[in-house]
Amino acid sequence: MPAFLTEDWFATVEKLTAEAGDLNLPPALANLAINLVVTDASGNTELALDGGKIQKGLSSNAKTTLNMDAETLRKVFLEFDMAAAMQAFMTGKIKVQGDMSQLMALQTAKPSQEQKDLFKKVLEHTA
């Protein structure tokens, strides 16, 4: 099981995403692209949530960038813990650059069952 945010982890996410096929996303999520810069002891890791899928590197489609630590990323994006997201935002653990309306879309859009299943598999394959 690869460690979170390592090269092996991104390869596993890519494989699981390809196997998942159509995520049947609502338009608010299908059209959403957000860049994520995760800071940890070894530096920064850049990734994006683009079209409901996690990808390595930044997306040219994104109008918003979120800066946070790896633990916050895991809770918010893999575990869909919106209470943790709100708390992290209010305490400054999530910093936003760019278009805040993108976050409102993310907060109100409900992930499809297919996306939930994919992210659950990703979480199961994450050390």
Side-chain angles (χ1 to χ4, degrees):
M1 195 172 341
F4 191 41
L5 300 177
T6 61
E7 292 293 328
D8 288 344
W9 184 82
F10 280 108
T12 300
V13 169
E14 191 174 323
K15 178 179 170 274
L16 292 171
T17 301
E19 290 171 359
D22 184 8
L23 295 180
N24 195 28
L25 295 171
L29 284 179
N31 300 322
L32 183 68
I34 294 179
N35 285 329
L36 303 159
V37 177
V38 180
T39 304
D40 58 26
S42 61
N44 288 344
T45 302
E46 296 178 336
L47 63 151
L49 181 67
D50 194 349
K53 299 173 183 171
I54 297 169
Q55 65 183 38
K56 184 175 183 197
L58 300 178
S59 170
S60 60
N61 299 325
K63 296 180 180 122
T64 306
T65 300
L66 302 180
N67 295 277
M68 68 188 75
D69 60 51
E71 179 185 340
T72 302
L73 176 72
R74 185 182 191 128
K75 284 184 178 181
V76 174
F77 287 94
L78 292 184
E79 299 174 15
F80 292 112
D81 186 342
M82 289 303 118
M86 188 59 68
Q87 182 178 10
F89 180 74
M90 298 304 254
T91 59
K93 287 180 86 175
I94 296 177
K95 293 182 177 47
V96 181
Q97 296 173 304
D99 185 355
M100 282 287 279
S101 68
Q102 297 281 299
L103 293 184
M104 299 308 129
L106 189 60
Q107 186 179 3
T108 58
K110 300 291 182 215
S112 65
Q113 189 58 51
E114 292 87 347
Q115 186 184 31
K116 285 181 186 177
D117 292 345
L118 169 61
F119 282 34
K120 183 178 178 200
K121 281 184 186 170
V122 168
L123 192 57
E124 289 170 355
H125 288 83
T126 300

